Amino acid sequence: MAQRGTRQKIVEIADDLFYRQGFEHTSFADIAKVVNISRGNFYHHFKSKDEILDAVIKTRLEMTQQMLVDWEEEGASPKERIESYIRILLTNWTMIKEYGCPVGTLCTELAKLNHTSKEQASKVFTLFRIWLRQQFSQLGYGDEADGLAMHVLSWSQGVATLGNAFNDLEYVSQEVSKMCDWLDVMSRRNISGKKSNQKKR
Amino acid sequence: MAQRGTRQKIVEIADDLFYRQGFEHTSFADIAKVVNISRGNFYHHFKSKDEILDAVIKTRLEMTQQMLVDWEEEGASPKERIESYIRILLTNWTMIKEYGCPVGTLCTELAKLNHTSKEQASKVFTLFRIWLRQQFSQLGYGDEADGLAMHVLSWSQGVATLGNAFNDLEYVSQEVSKMCDWLDVMSRRNISGKKSNQKKR
DNA sequence: GACAAAATAGGACAAACGTCCTATTTTCCG
DNA sequence: CGGAAAATAGGACGTTTGTCCTATTTTGTC
């Protein structure tokens, strides 16, 4: 019981520190200090720093998946569900303005480190991608659904990066409005094909 | 003569390594090895690592400014000039797919390090922002010009991040096409107000 | 209560880090 | 040519890094 508790605590705190300080800039000592355990104990749970990273990414994948399930249940329509995604830019603004997007910043850092877990980290993006694609499919977009999902993904990603760089909430709010307006147009356009998802253009 | 040569060489190589490996992951020894000088000599030119960073950022600001001047001269119309910006996603693709956008990735890294030069680094974004705003002003967009500039900036930034995460050239090409299509619509819409920039809506 | 297993503590290790120092060499200018 | 200044080399420093090791304590089970 104590084992899983400590292990989980390590992962949670490592997750937070990797996000706020970056993976490489976070040391074993940093994590151990916050968890309040010795480095020796640390090594009993994780054999290497990369192993913690893998655990953190795994947790993020699970948390993301759960969040998507929640959005699926909460949102009455595909449009509302996609809006849930768009809104995280504002929901998590206090973190984003300081540390950027957790997913994007980890991917870019691992890319520069040429780290083997880079692909694994990008799978968090894939989760959003698949989920968004599904929503657009339900809006009647067949072949275009994936492209639209990627469009939303990149748009929000860019807003997070620029919002962080300029620390500008007003700009982020405006872009969120633009995205919702765009989504509004998109959801009306194919309202006819809503029930015939597979309809070829 | 030899001084400026060595100093410039250090900055150029540091610029490249900071981009490809990240600022913090690049050590004095890394740079010295490529420049082929001793660490002692290194310290004669730069008193600290932060000082090199400042020099690198300064160079990037100058290079960017020069590039914008070139685009200004090469492009016949505002639309063509903005297209020059959009196209860098494809022009620099071989680098972007491996290391992301040089501007965005440095800003996010410095944000996590809570580095004092973060604001200075984001000024590269500001250069693009002002230049793009100018182009949209010439297209007849008065008050909206800045918002449109930021929109292009964030869009391309997101595409760079996602393109890097997924290593997907096809997606990037599609987004570039979308951006050019969007720009096409935007440049036609306000063709009437082209000569009356200050015209209030 | 006994005993194996898990958990924890804390020190030791070599390597790498940014920084600083002192010599030596090269360059520049009167 | 000569002497001041700049450029370069290379070692030394204190810290921090990830990793590993060996004890000690706690836990779970028969």
Side-chain angles (χ1 to χ4, degrees), chain B residues 142-162:
Chain B
D143 303 340
E144 301 170 82
D146 189 59
L148 292 170
M150 286 298 282
H151 181 64
V152 171
L153 219 49
S154 39
W155 194 347
S156 62
Q157 183 61 37
V159 172
T161 306
L162 269 293

Side-chain angles (χ1 to χ4, degrees), chain A residues 3 38-41 44-45:
Chain A
Q3 180 204 0
S38 65
R39 278 161 297 138
N41 188 9
H44 177 259
H45 294 281

